[in-house]
PDB file of all heavy atoms in Angstrom:
ATOM      1  N   ASN A  43     116.650-117.580  24.569  1.00  0.00           N
ATOM      2  CA  ASN A  43     117.376-118.808  24.863  1.00  0.00           C
ATOM      3  C   ASN A  43     116.714-119.955  24.092  1.00  0.00           C
ATOM      4  O   ASN A  43     115.602-120.378  24.424  1.00  0.00           O
ATOM      5  CB  ASN A  43     117.337-119.068  26.373  1.00  0.00           C
ATOM      6  CG  ASN A  43     118.233-120.218  26.789  1.00  0.00           C
ATOM      7  OD1 ASN A  43     118.369-121.200  26.079  1.00  0.00           O
ATOM      8  ND2 ASN A  43     118.840-120.087  27.963  1.00  0.00           N
ATOM      9  N   PHE A  44     117.389-120.429  23.056  1.00  0.00           N
ATOM     10  CA  PHE A  44     116.827-121.478  22.195  1.00  0.00           C
ATOM     11  C   PHE A  44     116.821-122.849  22.879  1.00  0.00           C
ATOM     12  O   PHE A  44     116.233-123.794  22.356  1.00  0.00           O
ATOM     13  CB  PHE A  44     117.614-121.567  20.889  1.00  0.00           C
ATOM     14  CG  PHE A  44     117.377-120.421  19.955  1.00  0.00           C
ATOM     15  CD1 PHE A  44     118.197-119.303  19.980  1.00  0.00           C
ATOM     16  CD2 PHE A  44     116.323-120.436  19.055  1.00  0.00           C
ATOM     17  CE1 PHE A  44     117.990-118.242  19.114  1.00  0.00           C
ATOM     18  CE2 PHE A  44     116.097-119.382  18.187  1.00  0.00           C
ATOM     19  CZ  PHE A  44     116.936-118.276  18.217  1.00  0.00           C
ATOM     20  N   ILE A  45     117.478-122.951  24.036  1.00  0.00           N
ATOM     21  CA  ILE A  45     117.494-124.220  24.773  1.00  0.00           C
ATOM     22  C   ILE A  45     116.271-124.315  25.683  1.00  0.00           C
ATOM     23  O   ILE A  45     115.542-125.306  25.674  1.00  0.00           O
ATOM     24  CB  ILE A  45     118.792-124.355  25.603  1.00  0.00           C
ATOM     25  CG1 ILE A  45     120.027-124.274  24.691  1.00  0.00           C
ATOM     26  CG2 ILE A  45     118.787-125.664  26.390  1.00  0.00           C
ATOM     27  CD1 ILE A  45     121.340-124.183  25.432  1.00  0.00           C
ATOM     28  N   THR A  46     116.029-123.242  26.449  1.00  0.00           N
ATOM     29  CA  THR A  46     114.900-123.248  27.380  1.00  0.00           C
ATOM     30  C   THR A  46     113.622-122.710  26.749  1.00  0.00           C
ATOM     31  O   THR A  46     112.551-122.792  27.348  1.00  0.00           O
ATOM     32  CB  THR A  46     115.234-122.402  28.617  1.00  0.00           C
ATOM     33  OG1 THR A  46     115.449-121.038  28.205  1.00  0.00           O
ATOM     34  CG2 THR A  46     116.478-122.927  29.320  1.00  0.00           C
ATOM     35  N   ARG A  47     113.726-122.118  25.546  1.00  0.00           N
ATOM     36  CA  ARG A  47     112.605-121.523  24.807  1.00  0.00           C
ATOM     37  C   ARG A  47     111.994-120.344  25.585  1.00  0.00           C
ATOM     38  O   ARG A  47     110.780-120.189  25.671  1.00  0.00           O
ATOM     39  CB  ARG A  47     111.512-122.558  24.516  1.00  0.00           C
ATOM     40  CG  ARG A  47     111.980-123.845  23.864  1.00  0.00           C
ATOM     41  CD  ARG A  47     112.296-123.668  22.380  1.00  0.00           C
ATOM     42  NE  ARG A  47     112.494-124.953  21.733  1.00  0.00           N
ATOM     43  CZ  ARG A  47     111.522-125.645  21.144  1.00  0.00           C
ATOM     44  NH1 ARG A  47     110.295-125.190  21.121  1.00  0.00           N
ATOM     45  NH2 ARG A  47     111.791-126.796  20.565  1.00  0.00           N
ATOM     46  N   HIS A  48     112.861-119.544  26.188  1.00  0.00           N
ATOM     47  CA  HIS A  48     112.404-118.372  26.931  1.00  0.00           C
ATOM     48  C   HIS A  48     113.196-117.143  26.494  1.00  0.00           C
ATOM     49  O   HIS A  48     114.312-117.251  25.971  1.00  0.00           O
ATOM     50  CB  HIS A  48     112.590-118.568  28.443  1.00  0.00           C
ATOM     51  CG  HIS A  48     111.701-119.618  29.026  1.00  0.00           C
ATOM     52  ND1 HIS A  48     110.327-119.551  28.966  1.00  0.00           N
ATOM     53  CD2 HIS A  48     111.987-120.772  29.696  1.00  0.00           C
ATOM     54  CE1 HIS A  48     109.807-120.607  29.558  1.00  0.00           C
ATOM     55  NE2 HIS A  48     110.791-121.369  30.008  1.00  0.00           N
ATOM     56  N   GLU A  49     112.624-115.963  26.778  1.00  0.00           N
ATOM     57  CA  GLU A  49     113.359-114.720  26.535  1.00  0.00           C
ATOM     58  C   GLU A  49     114.620-114.713  27.391  1.00  0.00           C
ATOM     59  O   GLU A  49     114.694-115.370  28.430  1.00  0.00           O
ATOM     60  CB  GLU A  49     112.477-113.503  26.872  1.00  0.00           C
ATOM     61  CG  GLU A  49     111.228-113.380  26.009  1.00  0.00           C
ATOM     62  CD  GLU A  49     111.534-113.246  24.537  1.00  0.00           C
ATOM     63  OE1 GLU A  49     112.420-112.444  24.183  1.00  0.00           O
ATOM     64  OE2 GLU A  49     110.905-113.953  23.721  1.00  0.00           O
ATOM     65  N   TRP A  50     115.599-113.928  26.966  1.00  0.00           N
ATOM     66  CA  TRP A  50     116.930-113.986  27.566  1.00  0.00           C
ATOM     67  C   TRP A  50     117.440-112.569  27.794  1.00  0.00           C
ATOM     68  O   TRP A  50     117.290-111.703  26.944  1.00  0.00           O
ATOM     69  CB  TRP A  50     117.848-114.749  26.609  1.00  0.00           C
ATOM     70  CG  TRP A  50     119.227-115.044  27.094  1.00  0.00           C
ATOM     71  CD1 TRP A  50     120.392-114.588  26.567  1.00  0.00           C
ATOM     72  CD2 TRP A  50     119.591-115.894  28.185  1.00  0.00           C
ATOM     73  NE1 TRP A  50     121.458-115.091  27.259  1.00  0.00           N
ATOM     74  CE2 TRP A  50     120.997-115.900  28.266  1.00  0.00           C
ATOM     75  CE3 TRP A  50     118.867-116.636  29.114  1.00  0.00           C
ATOM     76  CZ2 TRP A  50     121.692-116.620  29.225  1.00  0.00           C
ATOM     77  CZ3 TRP A  50     119.553-117.354  30.076  1.00  0.00           C
ATOM     78  CH2 TRP A  50     120.943-117.355  30.122  1.00  0.00           C
ATOM     79  N   LYS A  51     118.043-112.325  28.944  1.00  0.00           N
ATOM     80  CA  LYS A  51     118.441-110.944  29.240  1.00  0.00           C
ATOM     81  C   LYS A  51     119.823-110.573  28.702  1.00  0.00           C
ATOM     82  O   LYS A  51     120.182-109.403  28.684  1.00  0.00           O
ATOM     83  CB  LYS A  51     118.381-110.691  30.746  1.00  0.00           C
ATOM     84  CG  LYS A  51     119.356-111.491  31.594  1.00  0.00           C
ATOM     85  CD  LYS A  51     119.175-111.127  33.061  1.00  0.00           C
ATOM     86  CE  LYS A  51     120.136-111.891  33.961  1.00  0.00           C
ATOM     87  NZ  LYS A  51     119.981-111.528  35.372  1.00  0.00           N
ATOM     88  N   GLY A  52     120.593-111.563  28.250  1.00  0.00           N
ATOM     89  CA  GLY A  52     121.865-111.235  27.629  1.00  0.00           C
ATOM     90  C   GLY A  52     121.703-111.003  26.139  1.00  0.00           C
ATOM     91  O   GLY A  52     120.630-110.646  25.668  1.00  0.00           O
ATOM     92  N   SER A  53     122.788-111.160  25.362  1.00  0.00           N
ATOM     93  CA  SER A  53     122.782-111.208  23.899  1.00  0.00           C
ATOM     94  C   SER A  53     123.506-110.052  23.226  1.00  0.00           C
ATOM     95  O   SER A  53     123.629-108.948  23.774  1.00  0.00           O
ATOM     96  CB  SER A  53     121.366-111.290  23.305  1.00  0.00           C
ATOM     97  OG  SER A  53     120.752-110.015  23.291  1.00  0.00           O
ATOM     98  N   LEU A  54     123.969-110.341  21.993  1.00  0.00           N
ATOM     99  CA  LEU A  54     124.573-109.307  21.147  1.00  0.00           C
ATOM    100  C   LEU A  54     123.549-108.251  20.759  1.00  0.00           C
ATOM    101  O   LEU A  54     123.890-107.086  20.549  1.00  0.00           O
ATOM    102  CB  LEU A  54     125.172-109.941  19.887  1.00  0.00           C
ATOM    103  CG  LEU A  54     126.404-110.828  20.058  1.00  0.00           C
ATOM    104  CD1 LEU A  54     126.887-111.333  18.700  1.00  0.00           C
ATOM    105  CD2 LEU A  54     127.541-110.097  20.772  1.00  0.00           C
ATOM    106  N   ALA A  55     122.288-108.641  20.664  1.00  0.00           N
ATOM    107  CA  ALA A  55     121.236-107.678  20.297  1.00  0.00           C
ATOM    108  C   ALA A  55     121.122-106.577  21.344  1.00  0.00           C
ATOM    109  O   ALA A  55     120.890-105.405  21.006  1.00  0.00           O
ATOM    110  CB  ALA A  55     119.899-108.396  20.141  1.00  0.00           C
ATOM    111  N   ARG A  56     121.290-106.926  22.611  1.00  0.00           N
ATOM    112  CA  ARG A  56     121.259-105.919  23.679  1.00  0.00           C
ATOM    113  C   ARG A  56     122.562-105.119  23.707  1.00  0.00           C
ATOM    114  O   ARG A  56     122.549-103.899  23.917  1.00  0.00           O
ATOM    115  CB  ARG A  56     121.025-106.593  25.032  1.00  0.00           C
ATOM    116  CG  ARG A  56     119.646-107.233  25.160  1.00  0.00           C
ATOM    117  CD  ARG A  56     119.410-107.718  26.579  1.00  0.00           C
ATOM    118  NE  ARG A  56     118.160-108.457  26.683  1.00  0.00           N
ATOM    119  CZ  ARG A  56     116.967-107.904  26.828  1.00  0.00           C
ATOM    120  NH1 ARG A  56     116.854-106.596  26.873  1.00  0.00           N
ATOM    121  NH2 ARG A  56     115.886-108.654  26.937  1.00  0.00           N
ATOM    122  N   ILE A  57     123.671-105.811  23.502  1.00  0.00           N
ATOM    123  CA  ILE A  57     124.961-105.120  23.480  1.00  0.00           C
ATOM    124  C   ILE A  57     124.987-104.086  22.362  1.00  0.00           C
ATOM    125  O   ILE A  57     125.473-102.959  22.545  1.00  0.00           O
ATOM    126  CB  ILE A  57     126.111-106.144  23.315  1.00  0.00           C
ATOM    127  CG1 ILE A  57     126.254-106.966  24.600  1.00  0.00           C
ATOM    128  CG2 ILE A  57     127.433-105.443  22.969  1.00  0.00           C
ATOM    129  CD1 ILE A  57     127.037-108.236  24.442  1.00  0.00           C
ATOM    130  N   TYR A  58     124.437-104.448  21.207  1.00  0.00           N
ATOM    131  CA  TYR A  58     124.436-103.514  20.085  1.00  0.00           C
ATOM    132  C   TYR A  58     123.572-102.282  20.378  1.00  0.00           C
ATOM    133  O   TYR A  58     123.889-101.176  19.924  1.00  0.00           O
ATOM    134  CB  TYR A  58     123.960-104.196  18.811  1.00  0.00           C
ATOM    135  CG  TYR A  58     124.125-103.328  17.582  1.00  0.00           C
ATOM    136  CD1 TYR A  58     125.377-102.812  17.241  1.00  0.00           C
ATOM    137  CD2 TYR A  58     123.048-103.007  16.777  1.00  0.00           C
ATOM    138  CE1 TYR A  58     125.547-102.003  16.126  1.00  0.00           C
ATOM    139  CE2 TYR A  58     123.204-102.205  15.649  1.00  0.00           C
ATOM    140  CZ  TYR A  58     124.455-101.708  15.337  1.00  0.00           C
ATOM    141  OH  TYR A  58     124.616-100.899  14.220  1.00  0.00           O
ATOM    142  N   SER A  59     122.513-102.462  21.141  1.00  0.00           N
ATOM    143  CA  SER A  59     121.689-101.320  21.538  1.00  0.00           C
ATOM    144  C   SER A  59     122.520-100.325  22.355  1.00  0.00           C
ATOM    145  O   SER A  59     122.440 -99.105  22.165  1.00  0.00           O
ATOM    146  CB  SER A  59     120.481-101.800  22.346  1.00  0.00           C
ATOM    147  OG  SER A  59     119.612-100.734  22.640  1.00  0.00           O
TER     148      SER A  59
END
Side-chain angles (χ1 to χ4, degrees):
N43 188 324
F44 288 92
I45 302 171
T46 62
R47 309 284 191 91
H48 292 300
E49 297 300 314
W50 186 243
K51 65 180 180 179
S53 79
L54 291 182
R56 294 188 186 277
I57 290 163
Y58 188 56
S59 185

